[in-house]
Amino acid sequence: MATPKKILRALAGETQKTPPIWMMRQAGRYLPEYRASREKAGDFLSLCYNPELAAEVTLQPIRRYGFDAAILFADILLVPQALGADLWFVTGEGPRLSTITSEADFAKLKPADAIHDTTAPVYETIRLLTRELPEDTALIGFAGAPWTVATYMIAGRGTPDQGPAHALRQANPALFEALLDRITKATILYLSQQIEAGAEVVKIFDSWAGSLQGDDFERYALEPCREITAALKAKYPTVPVIGFPRGAGDKNIGFAKATGVDCVALDYGLDATWAAANVQVDGCVQGNLDPSHMVTGGQPLIDATRAIVQVFSKGPHIFNLGHGITPDANPQNVQLMVDTVRGA
Ligand code: 1CP
């Protein structure tokens, strides 16, 4: 049997001399070839729903850098759209959605099992990728965590403090929890279909987990992630799950045990030495270089990259940024990071 892919070995708990590497938002606007494909598609959502072009942009960073994993090109907001929310992107600003703030809005949403009518092209993208990816490159599927997805569905856009979602959670907890439950059920079905189509790992992005405090973190970040992971593990026990509770700080401690995920993705706000002692003790971690190094480059990039590899070298580790690469990044700095990790 062929040696398992590097990232699968890390996720199974193996400590490797050179960690596997991929990069959050590795397909994106910092790459000229991405911008060309996006133009061809017309707009961002048309790119997400065009399997040939979505597979092409997924492959672009693999061709350029030979990352150990490819991440499906799609977006966390495809789930709200598949549940019946209106979704559009305003150039230079970001996503906009119709809002869910009342029982009447919620009643208009589709049942969880209706999502595949809209998300079918995403599964087709995955099927194409399973044929086109190099044999040592793993394919990562993903979805947003229910809390993060709910923050967009309630506010109708990205928000600095998730204020509208917190307001609804306080004013109408029953409605808030019904929404979270609908997203959780849809996410289980969505990720299951991604796995059926060929995703070998799935990642749950809780980009706004950091604004949940105390019991609310347990109820609305930990619990939905645990429910999704348990449902997937029951059906696909060998498929690893990566959790990303961005901004959770100390609450990264015990996150893997509490949710059942195989790996915790660390944001760049976390001190690596602290994370090695407190989070990596429970298993694989991913991260956590500050993405601003992809803009600034030079010796500081090399030093910071080496330091992260070194600090996490005593346990299972997947090298990554601590959040997505930004559109102003220089593609040459990405190459410098890859070469540094691989010891060239
Ligand atoms: O071309 C463009 O202008 C669109 C920019 C873009 C891209 C490249 C968006 C809009 N989404 C994506 C792709 C994307 N989004 C991927 C593809 C795979 C890859 O990483 O290469 C993934 C995994 C995501 C995940 C995602 N979308 C998250 C979670 C991760 C994170 O960054 O915290 C979130 C919060 C979103 C929502 C979203 N989609 C796009 C934007 C600009 C945003 C953030 C909006 C906001 O909060 O204001």
Side-chain angles (χ1 to χ4, degrees):
M1 208 179 92
T3 319
K5 303 177 186 185
K6 261 182 93 68
I7 189 168
L8 299 178
R9 286 161 54 198
L11 288 164
E14 183 180 326
T15 304
Q16 295 172 72
K17 203 160 161 278
T18 303
I21 175 172
W22 69 280
M23 191 174 68
M24 275 192 254
R25 291 276 173 101
Q26 60 192 22
R29 283 173 293 171
Y30 74 105
L31 288 178
E33 58 268 38
Y34 169 82
R35 295 195 295 268
S37 297
R38 201 187 121 165
E39 205 158 302
K40 217 186 209 177
D43 58 43
F44 174 68
L45 283 174
S46 307
L47 180 54
C48 291
Y49 292 120
N50 180 321
E52 282 78 23
L53 285 177
E56 165 59 24
V57 296
T58 304
L59 288 163
Q60 285 167 352
I62 307 305
R63 289 193 200 110
R64 228 186 223 259
Y65 304 113
F67 286 122
D68 294 293
I71 183 159
L72 163 73
F73 190 84
D75 196 80
I76 66 164
L77 300 177
L78 302 190
V79 166
Q81 188 177 37
L83 285 171
D86 293 331
L87 172 67
W88 66 105
F89 281 79
V90 180
T91 311
E93 288 190 32
R96 296 289 182 273
L97 299 92
S98 48
T99 58
I100 310 284
T101 55
S102 66
E103 270 87 4
D105 296 332
F106 182 72
K108 284 189 239 152
L109 290 180
K110 295 178 190 169
D113 62 6
I115 60 160
H116 305 311
D117 298 344
T118 307
T119 53
V122 174
Y123 316 137
E124 184 55 25
T125 304
I126 293 176
R127 280 190 286 269
L128 292 178
L129 285 165
T130 59
R131 297 199 284 273
E132 293 176 23
L133 277 167
E135 63 177 23
D136 50 359
T137 313
L139 179 58
I140 304 175
F142 74 93
W147 159 250
T148 287
V149 172
T151 68
Y152 289 94
M153 292 182 81
I154 294 164
R157 58 192 298 163
T159 46
D161 58 0
Q162 298 73 61
H166 286 294
L168 184 70
R169 171 175 71 70
Q170 277 155 357
N172 193 342
L175 174 61
F176 174 77
E177 288 180 12
L179 177 61
L180 225 61
D181 190 58
R182 182 71 56 87
I183 300 167
T184 302
K185 299 282 184 306
T187 302
I188 291 167
L189 296 171
Y190 182 53
L191 291 175
S192 297
Q193 279 310 108
Q194 291 187 27
I195 293 167
E196 295 282 344
E200 298 166 278
V201 177
V202 295
K203 179 167 174 183
I204 303 169
F205 285 91
D206 212 349
S207 301
W208 299 119
S211 75
L212 290 167
Q213 303 302 324
D215 283 354
D216 290 331
F217 184 84
E218 295 207 354
R219 287 165 71 177
Y220 305 131
L222 281 187
E223 180 50 31
C225 186
R226 192 204 58 73
E227 189 178 335
I228 293 166
T229 305
L232 295 177
K233 295 275 178 194
K235 284 193 278 188
Y236 313 103
T238 63
V239 175
V241 179
I242 303 174
F244 181 40
R246 185 168 77 95
D250 287 357
K251 298 194 223 49
N252 280 283
I253 301 173
F255 187 86
K257 276 190 181 147
T259 58
V261 300
D262 302 270
C263 174
V264 184
L266 307 167
D267 64 70
Y268 64 91
L270 296 167
D271 176 70
T273 305
W274 175 89
N278 291 286
V279 189
Q280 198 186 25
V281 285
D282 290 336
C284 189
V285 291
Q286 176 181 284
N288 72 338
L289 185 67
D290 185 334
S292 69
H293 284 293
M294 298 301 104
V295 181
T296 51
Q299 194 62 40
L301 181 163
I302 295 173
D303 294 344
T305 300
R306 284 191 183 142
I308 286 170
V309 171
Q310 177 59 35
V311 167
F312 292 117
S313 64
K314 291 172 193 68
H317 176 220
I318 299 165
F319 193 93
N320 206 311
L321 302 179
H323 199 201
I325 188 170
T326 50
D328 55 344
N330 180 344
Q332 288 178 351
N333 291 333
V334 178
Q335 188 65 58
L336 182 58
M337 170 183 72
V338 171
D339 291 345
T340 305
V341 168
R342 293 188 171 152

